Amino acid sequence: MEVGFLGLGIMGKAMSMNLLKAGFKVTVWNRTLSKCEELVEHGASIGETPAAVIKKCKYTIAMLSDPAAALSVVFDKGGVLEEICSGKGYVDMSTVDATTSSQINEAITKKGGYFLEAPVSGSKKPAEDGQLVILAAGDKTLYEEAIPAFDVMGKKAFYLGEVGNGAKMKLVVNMIMGSMMNAFSEGLVLADRSGLNQQTLLDVLDLGAISNPMFRLKGPTMIEGNYPPAFPLKHQQKDMRLALALGDENAVSMPVAAASNEAFKTARSLGHGDSDFSAVHERTRDRRRF
Amino acid sequence: MEVGFLGLGIMGKAMSMNLLKAGFKVTVWNRTLSKCEELVEHGASIGETPAAVIKKCKYTIAMLSDPAAALSVVFDKGGVLEEICSGKGYVDMSTVDATTSSQINEAITKKGGYFLEAPVSGSKKPAEDGQLVILAAGDKTLYEEAIPAFDVMGKKAFYLGEVGNGAKMKLVVNMIMGSMMNAFSEGLVLADRSGLNQQTLLDVLDLGAISNPMFRLKGPTMIEGNYPPAFPLKHQQKDMRLALALGDENAVSMPVAAASNEAFKTARSLGHGDSDFSAVHERTRDRRRF
Amino acid sequence: MEVGFLGLGIMGKAMSMNLLKAGFKVTVWNRTLSKCEELVEHGASIGETPAAVIKKCKYTIAMLSDPAAALSVVFDKGGVLEEICSGKGYVDMSTVDATTSSQINEAITKKGGYFLEAPVSGSKKPAEDGQLVILAAGDKTLYEEAIPAFDVMGKKAFYLGEVGNGAKMKLVVNMIMGSMMNAFSEGLVLADRSGLNQQTLLDVLDLGAISNPMFRLKGPTMIEGNYPPAFPLKHQQKDMRLALALGDENAVSMPVAAASNEAFKTARSLGHGDSDFSAVHERTRDRRRF
Amino acid sequence: MEVGFLGLGIMGKAMSMNLLKAGFKVTVWNRTLSKCEELVEHGASIGETPAAVIKKCKYTIAMLSDPAAALSVVFDKGGVLEEICSGKGYVDMSTVDATTSSQINEAITKKGGYFLEAPVSGSKKPAEDGQLVILAAGDKTLYEEAIPAFDVMGKKAFYLGEVGNGAKMKLVVNMIMGSMMNAFSEGLVLADRSGLNQQTLLDVLDLGAISNPMFRLKGPTMIEGNYPPAFPLKHQQKDMRLALALGDENAVSMPVAAASNEAFKTARSLGHGDSDFSAVHERTRDRRRF
């Protein structure tokens, strides 16, 4: 099978490599062309522009760093819009906001093309292992066409209905995750100040009903006051804010998410915006003298 | 090995049965003696009073329903205090508050006895399967003596130091659990009102970094608005309150636990105190018209 | 002195009448012209369009119902933009969001005109009594020129700097007010359920350091469960949300405002969006059985 | 009229002096007798012990520093209990918790005496000016007997029913005050970081519906980061906690009070427990880098 791939950052490179290894014929493009070399060694072709990739392939996947890049690749000179047309599909797996996604969707469908937003849950390691969770929304036929590729890149793909639902699902998941992180952080500090051993708390938690990979992964580094950035705190806080805004539109009262958001904001104001979101722990355990 | 066992409710019966099956000689006592029969069929002896059991055994385990029962078994006529003495141990595995535990500890050590509090994490099923998590605190020698019994009743026993630490560790764990339940409930309602499928949210959560047994177990019934009481909401709220009080003593700011506590209080005031603690979901999704 | 006045709703009519009574020559316009009659009886002239008013007067005041009306009066055919030019001023006293205000500012200054946003604090009664509080921001010279008119319409005018600051100041004030309303409501319910008389609480509050007009005015009707709409709850909640968004931009953690916002959202979801913002009390005192 | 007075601290001295000036015959006692001198110069008699004062007077007022002092004066050798009897009244105007108040009430009524708790709202200045607000609860006949003294010491006395209600009313008022302080602090910081002048915010607030003495008094010093201790933050936080506990007993959900309590706890953990409660502002404006 033949597929286009735009964007060879950490995620995109791992994903397109998995497609090559699984036997897909892949035509790649990246803003910095040198990043294509390793893929070419594994059999990829190169497209000179996004438009060239679109022209060559029945459908094209994009994995770009942010909304600005996602828009640029579609709307700029040599962009997706120049060649997208009836019968061709575009699958944007970048994490973008609902507005960006809608803009791209509108432009592409106006030209007769098919569009699917498909943000993923999971970062570098799951991308390399083909273990991403894919939250797809938009054109159903394109979704079905892309299933063989999704099967290679992810452990599970969901079809969530209309464009926007992929982004919303990510917000809901990240909101729950952000509140859980705060609950966890409060528990660690409470244990410590009450004379309990924090590592023992981790062990007890891991044997019970709320045992989960995040506690296992982040707990030991949080105890050390170490927050290697996997998901930056400022992005987590932005997602909390957007989830609260979504709740606002729908009159859903979310006091725990609201309290968590303020905790993340405090952490941001204390200078931890670029650390991992687990650095909210610095807010909880902040104590100068007592 | 020989061991006494006081209290044959749902938990106590399962635990003492496991001891018998593992080859322990067990002398049992229960307020309603008829409940001893099944144990006797499996080889248990009967003690006529708690005192009689204590007299016969080197150490005795108790699993009683609440602080009142825990106190009565120790202090009333025919109670533990009448026979406890140097060389004998008493292991209270009931879930009681710190004050009750301290009272019992003081009375027993005054008589020369050894005391261990050892509340458990886990309910009926783990008790039957010998998969409890045991949070022991108090006399270290008694703890070591009781390890063979703990190994039969639980999958893991922790020694947490001085009396009171077992109860505190349970509070910390339950506080994290209560906040997580609120985060989860907010996420479910936000998904629903934003046009996402709640079952899909459960599926997505279960594939990610915050996947945990509680979401898996409670999610489907919460979606149905069904809350079969495993851990009553009023007890969960009480534990949130006690955890916040513990935080207050130690100047730990816990805004997420505080918001969660208020949500549980709202649920209580709406009449859900005796339902499962997942019934806090009724508060989150409450909407009469909009 | 001569001044134009656009918009003769409840507020605008009272304000322009005060200008007439104070000896200003006022040229009025209103979408429904019949509303101008009473003003004409008191000596006002009529302009056929906003443009006609602008043409005739050195500066013109507008008091319109919402952002849409504020934009329409400026940008539509016969609107302010057609005649605004160097040497002419436009003072918009409507309550609009920052974006609307900026748009109008930009369009007017491009034409060489002067712009001042000047939202007010206070409703019908203070407007009639010339007791408004005026939060002006934008062109300083125009502000000084408008002082004689502000002196007639308000008890105090503030000059707050650049366009946008008037709207921001209103948000900050309304945020504090919204949190205070929640604190007050919680206190009333706590008093009631603890066996204290709520009217006595009002009396005690009124004698102390936190005595304020809002408690005096709203307390008695809140006790009755009566919320005559002065400032609709949905608008208060919107202002809380915007204030939180402003805090978010500037990394200000506002946990009390966040909790208040969620309480207003709950009240909205219970159907009280069109009641007075004091109807958040229905959320606090909600209790079906206990 | 004749009255006893126990406790001549800052408050008690001002209150008893006012009684003397109004023509009451006052018999005073203080642990450090030298503090009685100034009162004696103004015509007071001295009692050698609390018991001696009780013996001499039909009713006796106490104004002691804390619960421990309140208990000691009643229960210790030479204390109130030795002479209290049928026909004699004891009015405790100290601020104590409900338990302390109940203990004293029980002991006194057992001896046939009459008891009234009567904590006050207001500190040094209102005490000197006879402008306290008196929250009396307990024996109604004693309340009526004490009215002439209350009229001298306070601007208003309330009779609130059974013993305990005086303390509860104080908690409710202080809870509202604590949440208002947080709302105010958040508003000040939001104004500042949004480019608004904080003094202007104070001026705007003071002209509107939420204008109150506390904002006027504390605002200017808070802007300076100066918190002269009038009501220590640790006491305010304790009152928030007790108010939340009262709400818990009665299933009143108070999310804004809960968020405020956590803010006060954070301020305590940052070392501001002994500063004025307005020092919670240090938490709100805390920012190291951003």
Side-chain angles (χ1 to χ4, degrees), chain C residues 95-136:
Chain C
T95 292
V96 301
D97 56 289
T99 314
T100 301
S101 205
S102 294
Q103 269 181 275
I104 295 174
N105 178 42
E106 214 173 300
I108 282 173
T109 51
K110 217 170 178 174
K111 290 267 188 170
Y114 306 124
F115 179 69
L116 200 64
E117 68 170 0
V120 301
S121 168
S123 51
K124 192 187 174 192
K125 188 71 170 49
E128 288 171 350
D129 299 346
Q131 293 292 306
L132 296 166
V133 175
I134 297 163
L135 305 173

Side-chain angles (χ1 to χ4, degrees), chain C residues 58-74:
Chain C
K58 187 135 191 295
Y59 72 94
T60 298
I61 294 166
M63 189 63 180
L64 301 153
S65 57
D66 57 28
L71 288 168
S72 159
V73 154
V74 172

Side-chain angles (χ1 to χ4, degrees), chain B residues 237 241 244-245 247-256 258-259 261-263 265-266 268-269, chain D residues 237 241 244-245 247-256 258-259 261-263 265-266 268-269:
Chain B
Q237 196 258 313
R241 171 162 43 92
L244 283 162
D248 204 289
E249 279 170 39
N250 298 291
V252 183
S253 169
M254 304 189 291
V256 169
N261 186 39
E262 297 308 313
K265 277 165 64 182
T266 300
R268 244 179 78 204
S269 81
Chain D
Q237 195 259 312
R241 170 161 44 91
L244 283 162
D248 204 289
E249 280 171 38
N250 298 290
V252 182
S253 169
M254 303 189 292
V256 169
N261 186 40
E262 297 308 314
K265 276 164 65 183
T266 301
R268 244 179 78 205
S269 81

Side-chain angles (χ1 to χ4, degrees), chain C residues 48-196:
Chain C
E48 303 237 320
T49 58
V53 176
I54 295 286
K55 187 172 182 182
K56 192 171 164 198
C57 305
K58 187 135 191 295
Y59 72 94
T60 298
I61 294 166
M63 189 63 180
L64 301 153
S65 57
D66 57 28
L71 288 168
S72 159
V73 154
V74 172
F75 291 96
D76 283 2
K77 195 170 141 50
V80 168
L81 276 194
E82 292 182 2
E83 293 290 344
I84 199 85
C85 59
S86 173
K88 286 189 181 290
Y90 185 63
V91 182
D92 194 348
M93 301 184 74
S94 323
T95 292
V96 301
D97 56 289
T99 314
T100 301
S101 205
S102 294
Q103 269 181 275
I104 295 174
N105 178 42
E106 214 173 300
I108 282 173
T109 51
K110 217 170 178 174
K111 290 267 188 170
Y114 306 124
F115 179 69
L116 200 64
E117 68 170 0
V120 301
S121 168
S123 51
K124 192 187 174 192
K125 188 71 170 49
E128 288 171 350
D129 299 346
Q131 293 292 306
L132 296 166
V133 175
I134 297 163
L135 305 173
D139 191 89
K140 186 76 186 279
T141 311
L142 178 53
Y143 170 74
E144 274 152 14
E145 198 174 346
I147 283 178
F150 289 161
D151 282 349
V152 167
M153 297 184 290
K155 63 180 165 187
K156 176 81 183 169
F158 293 91
Y159 178 74
L160 303 170
E162 64 186 49
V163 169
N165 284 354
K168 282 180 191 173
M169 185 61 88
K170 262 204 92 163
L171 282 185
V172 173
V173 171
N174 283 358
M175 179 196 82
I176 298 174
M177 185 171 74
S179 291
M180 269 177 66
M181 175 51 80
N182 272 283
F184 183 47
S185 169
E186 291 180 1
L188 283 168
V189 175
L190 181 58
D192 187 41
R193 298 235 184 114
S194 307
L196 301 173

